[in-house]
Amino acid sequence: MSAVTITPPMDLAPRVHSLDPDAFSVPTARDEEWRFSPVDRLKHFFIADPAAGFVTATGAGINLVPMAEVASSWIPIDLPSAIARAHVSKAGVLEIPAQAQWTEPVIVDLTTTAANSYQHLEIVAGHFSVATVVVRQTLTGNVSGAIIINVGDGAQLRVITVVEGEFSTALALQMPIIVGRDATFTGALATLGGGAVRVQSSVKYSAPGGRAELFGVFLADADQHVENRIFVNHDQPHCVSEVLFKGALLNPGARSAWIGDVLVRKDAIGTETHQANRNLLLSEGSRADSVPNLELETGDIVRAGHASATGRFDDEQLFYLQSRGLSLDEARQLVVRGFFADVLGRIGDTQWRDELLLKISDRLGITPMEEIDE
Amino acid sequence: MSALVITDLHAQVQTDTGPKDILRGVTLTIDSGLTHAIMGPNGSGKSTLAYVIAGHPRYTVTSGSITLDGVDVLAMSVDERARAGLFLAMQYPVEVPGVSVANFLRTAVTAARGEAPKLRLWIKEMKEAMADLQMDSSFAERNLNEGFSGGEKKRLEILQLGLLRPKIAILDETDSGLDVDALRVVSEGVNRFREATGAGTLLITHYTRILRYITPDVVHVFSDGRIVETGGPELADILEADGYERFTTVKTA
C-alpha cells in the first residue's frame, strides 16, 4: 500500500504528446495504459535500436519518401511510437486524389527483413474521394510505429488491416484517424498473427458530421497476446462513432485485452456513439480483459452506449443446432463462424468479408462453407 | 411405420436448492400417422417432456425409457436423436448471429439426409417450402432467428419440419405468440407435413385454439409431471369449457 493516493485523471485523453522520446517514461505494468500489456515482450520498443530497419510499404500508388520530407501533423503519444518516429528513415505515403472514385481495393504490403523495424505509413484521402485500402501487415520481426489515416471532407475511406505473422514477433502500432467534415471512415482490423500485438486506434474529428466505424476481429492462440486500445475523441458536433470488436481465444495461455475509451466533449452535441466488445473463450486457461469506458461532458447527444461480454459457447445455441442433426463440432464451427461473420458483414465489402472468414476458418480448422448468396 | 415409446419416464432438473423432479412417470406411445395432443397448465412439465425427448442437457432422466423403433433414445446424443428422426419445434427458437437461414438449413438438411443436396435443386426446394409458409425469400439471407418476430420464428420451425421430414415431430407450444393468420399458415404447414410423410406428431399446447386447425387423434391431459387422463378430441372441448382445475386439484398420491 502506498501512502500517496493518486486520483486517476477523469480525462481519457492521452496526457503526453511529443516528438521527443525522452518526454515519455519507460512503460511498466503499473501504468494504467500498460497494465494489460506484456511489457516484457514489448521491451524492444522502449529503447532505440541502432540496427533497426524500416518497414517497406509496397503497392500501386504508394510512394516511399524520406521521413524528413513527410509533413505529418500527428504527434506520438507513447514511447514506442516516439522512438519509431524519431528513427524511421522512410515513410510510405498513399494519397487518394480529391474526387477520386477507386472501385478496386488498393493493396498495401508492409514488410521488413530486420529483426526490429520502425514503421510510418500515411494514408491520405482527398476531399470527396471514395476508396478501399487493404493493408497487409506481415510480421517477420518486431515492428513499432504508426499508420496515420486522414479522411478529407466528404470522403469515404475504408481501410482493412490484416495483421499476420510469426508468434515470435511483436507489434506496437499507433493508428490515429482524423475524420473530416461529413466524411466516413470504416476501419476493419483483423489480428490473426503476431505474438504480442498492441494496436491503439484513435479517432479524432476535424469538423462536424463525421462518421467513424471501427470493426475488429482477432484470434488469440497460446502464447499470443492481442491488445486493442480504442480512443474516440468526440470534440465536434453531430459526429458518429460505431465500434465493434470480436475475438476468440483458442487455447490455454491465450490472452486478449480490449480497452475502449469514448470521450464526448462539451461541444460535441448531437453525438451518436456505440462501442462493444465480445469475446468467445474456446478453452480453459485463456483470458480476455474487456474494459469499455464512456465519459460524457454533455447530455445533449443522440445516443451513447457501450457493451462488453466474454463467455464460452452458448449452450442453448449448441443445443438448438444439434437438435437439427449437426454434430457438436459442426455446431461449434457454425457458431464461431457466425460470431465473426456478424462483424465482418458490417465492413461493407463482401470480397474481403469472405477473404477474412476464410483465413479465420483456416486458423480454426473449419472446412469452408459454400456461400449461398442468392 | 415408426413408434416412439415412452415408458414410466422420470426426469429432474438441477436447481439452486438441489434436484427437482419434473417428470413423474410418463408413459406414452406415438405411432406413425397419429397426432397426439398433450394439454396441461403452465408448470405441469409438458415442455420438459419435449426437451427430455430431444436430449436437452439441463435435464437428467432418473428412470424409465424412451425408444424409437426399439432403439434406446436416451443413449443417443442430441444430434443422433435428430438424425434418427426426432424433431422438436421449439417454443423459443434460439438466435444464432452471423449464420444465415440458408446456410443453416442446408447444413441441417445435409445432416438429416446424409448427403448435401445439389445446390440448384436445393435452392428451388427451399424457396418452394418458404412460399408454402408465406415467407418472403429474403428470409434466407437473414441471420438465424435474429430479430425475428414470434410468428417468423414459428414459421421457420415449421419450415425445418417440412424440410427435415422426421419420423416423429414434437411441437412445443407452436401456437403461442401467433395471431390468427399466422396460426392458420403454420397449422397448414404442419398438416401438409403430416399428410406427406405420415409421421407421428406430438402437439404440446396450453390452449385448444390450435386444435381447431390440427385435429388430434388422441388428447392427453398433463398435470404434475405425468399424464392424468387420455381421451379423444372431445377431451379438448371439455378442457376448453371447464379448464384444468379438476385435474390440478385432484392429485393422485
Side-chain angles (χ1 to χ4, degrees):
Chain A
M1 288 290 284
S2 160
V4 183
T5 308
I6 299 166
T7 310
M10 280 304 288
D11 198 325
L12 295 168
R15 277 158 288 165
V16 184
H17 295 74
S18 179
L19 288 166
D20 177 11
D22 291 338
F24 299 93
S25 55
V26 174
T28 72
R30 288 182 303 277
D31 298 330
E32 176 57 32
E33 304 91 277
W34 293 88
R35 69 187 177 102
F36 295 109
S37 309
V39 283
D40 264 5
R41 296 173 72 179
L42 300 170
K43 60 176 185 253
H44 336 270
F45 303 133
F46 302 160
I47 33 164
D49 175 5
F54 66 91
V55 172
T56 309
T58 49
I62 308 287
N63 292 313
L64 259 191
V65 295
M67 193 58 208
E69 293 172 21
V70 175
S72 183
S73 59
W74 185 71
I75 308 294
I77 57 168
D78 64 6
L79 182 61
S81 58
I83 290 175
R85 176 66 170 270
H87 296 277
V88 66
S89 51
K90 286 194 175 169
V93 177
L94 173 64
E95 285 188 41
I96 302 154
Q99 320 269 358
Q101 306 269 323
W102 289 0
T103 48
E104 287 297 306
V106 178
I107 312 278
V108 181
D109 275 304
L110 298 176
T111 53
T112 174
T113 51
N116 294 316
S117 303
Y118 301 128
Q119 170 172 306
H120 192 98
L121 174 66
E122 301 235 351
I123 301 172
V124 183
H127 296 179
F128 299 105
S129 62
V130 178
T132 296
V133 179
V134 178
V135 178
R136 295 197 289 216
Q137 176 101 53
T138 307
L139 299 169
T140 51
N142 303 316
V143 171
S144 57
I147 297 176
I148 294 156
I149 297 167
N150 206 316
V151 193
D153 292 351
Q156 294 173 37
L157 177 65
R158 185 186 291 131
V159 177
I160 298 166
T161 307
V162 187
V163 178
E164 289 180 290
E166 292 160 24
F167 288 5
S168 56
T169 62
L171 173 69
L173 183 67
Q174 289 290 337
M175 201 184 285
I177 301 143
I178 298 155
V179 181
R181 179 181 299 271
D182 300 331
T184 298
F185 173 75
T186 303
L189 174 60
T191 307
L192 307 176
V197 176
R198 185 183 194 271
V199 181
Q200 176 152 28
S201 311
S202 317
V203 174
K204 188 176 161 46
Y205 302 88
S206 61
R211 178 182 180 89
E213 301 172 332
L214 303 184
F215 300 119
V217 293
F218 59 86
L219 298 176
D221 214 324
D223 299 326
Q224 261 187 306
H225 173 100
V226 180
E227 180 169 349
N228 285 290
R229 305 184 73 89
I230 289 115
F231 174 53
V232 182
N233 188 0
H234 275 281
D235 56 358
Q236 293 282 342
H238 304 292
C239 290
V240 178
S241 62
E242 182 74 35
V243 177
L244 176 61
F245 275 64
K246 285 189 163 192
L249 292 94
L250 310 181
N251 284 302
R255 283 278 277 118
S256 76
W258 181 89
I259 295 90
D261 293 337
V262 174
L263 173 57
V264 180
R265 305 265 192 199
K266 206 169 289 161
D267 298 333
I269 56 164
T271 291
E272 265 188 82
T273 173
H274 188 260
Q275 57 166 345
N277 169 226
R278 311 239 176 259
N279 302 310
L280 199 50
L281 301 175
L282 300 183
S283 111
E284 303 281 334
S286 56
R287 179 174 164 181
D289 288 292
S290 182
V291 187
N293 295 306
L294 174 64
E295 197 173 308
L296 296 171
E297 290 177 1
T298 173
D300 192 6
I301 56 166
V302 176
R303 182 176 71 108
H306 59 167
S308 156
T310 296
R312 297 178 196 286
F313 277 113
D314 180 333
D315 288 341
E316 295 302 323
Q317 284 182 347
L318 294 180
F319 172 72
Y320 185 76
L321 296 172
Q322 284 181 276
S323 79
R324 276 28 176 172
L326 280 66
S327 70
L328 183 58
D329 264 1
E330 288 173 319
R332 283 183 174 152
Q333 290 181 3
L334 208 59
V335 169
V336 176
R337 197 182 169 285
F339 178 75
F340 288 114
D342 177 52
V343 54
L344 292 173
R346 299 180 63 183
I347 303 173
D349 182 309
T350 50
Q351 186 202 333
W352 279 91
R353 175 200 68 187
D354 293 349
E355 194 101 359
L356 289 172
L357 262 182
L358 212 63
K359 281 178 185 288
I360 289 170
S361 300
D362 200 41
R363 271 285 302 282
L364 295 168
I366 295 175
T367 331
M369 196 188 306
E370 294 173 78
E371 282 296 327
I372 302 174
D373 275 335
E374 204 169 309
Chain B
M1 284 293 286
S2 284
L4 181 73
V5 179
I6 301 166
T7 310
D8 194 26
L9 188 69
H10 290 254
Q12 57 185 209
V13 67
Q14 210 63 41
T15 70
D16 294 340
T17 52
K20 185 181 170 211
D21 293 327
I22 308 224
L23 299 184
R24 301 157 185 266
V26 180
T27 296
L28 173 67
T29 296
I30 298 161
D31 289 311
S32 292
L34 292 182
T35 297
H36 293 244
I38 284 192
M39 304 192 62
N42 291 327
S44 60
K46 58 192 193 298
S47 282
T48 298
L49 176 63
Y51 276 116
V52 169
I53 296 169
H56 196 289
R58 197 190 313 139
Y59 303 100
T60 310
V61 172
T62 48
S63 68
S65 68
I66 305 176
T67 61
L68 177 63
D69 300 333
V71 182
D72 184 4
V73 168
L74 294 176
M76 298 181 196
S77 62
V78 175
D79 51 309
E80 284 168 348
R81 296 178 196 206
R83 292 197 297 271
L86 293 175
F87 179 86
L88 169 60
M90 296 193 198
Q91 184 178 5
Y92 302 111
V94 180
E95 300 186 1
V96 187
V99 176
S100 75
V101 168
N103 277 331
F104 161 69
L105 288 176
R106 188 152 184 262
T107 309
V109 165
T110 301
R113 298 181 191 172
E115 60 174 349
K118 294 264 183 298
L119 197 54
R120 283 188 53 187
L121 292 174
W122 161 246
I123 289 171
K124 186 168 177 283
E125 182 185 358
M126 183 177 71
K127 287 193 167 166
E128 284 172 4
M130 288 172 70
D132 284 344
L133 287 163
Q134 298 179 17
M135 297 166 81
D136 191 90
S137 59
S138 65
F139 249 84
E141 266 60 64
R142 292 172 66 185
N143 287 337
L144 186 52
N145 288 318
E146 199 178 44
F148 281 27
S149 70
E152 288 173 336
K153 285 182 179 171
K154 295 301 171 71
R155 277 174 213 233
L156 183 58
E157 293 295 284
I158 301 309
L159 179 74
Q160 294 172 51
L161 174 71
L163 291 170
L164 298 174
R165 295 185 209 116
K167 292 174 183 163
I168 304 288
I170 300 150
L171 311 180
D172 185 18
E173 307 264 5
T174 293
D175 51 332
S176 71
L178 294 185
D179 62 34
V180 174
D181 287 339
L183 179 61
R184 184 181 48 77
V185 169
V186 162
S187 301
E188 284 169 4
V190 174
N191 289 334
R192 270 195 306 276
F193 159 75
R194 293 196 303 166
E195 283 154 26
T197 61
T201 305
L202 178 61
L203 196 67
I204 292 169
T205 181
H206 183 84
Y207 301 106
T208 53
R209 186 170 81 125
I210 195 170
L211 304 181
R212 278 180 238 139
Y213 299 92
I214 304 171
T215 315
D217 300 293
V218 189
V219 174
H220 308 275
V221 182
F222 209 79
S223 179
D224 200 26
R226 76 190 76 161
I227 290 168
V228 292
E229 187 147 335
T230 296
E234 74 287 347
L235 184 54
D237 299 329
I238 297 169
L239 290 170
E240 173 83 353
D242 301 346
Y244 292 113
E245 204 169 318
R246 114 175 131 92
F247 300 102
T248 51
T249 48
V250 184
K251 275 189 188 174
T252 43

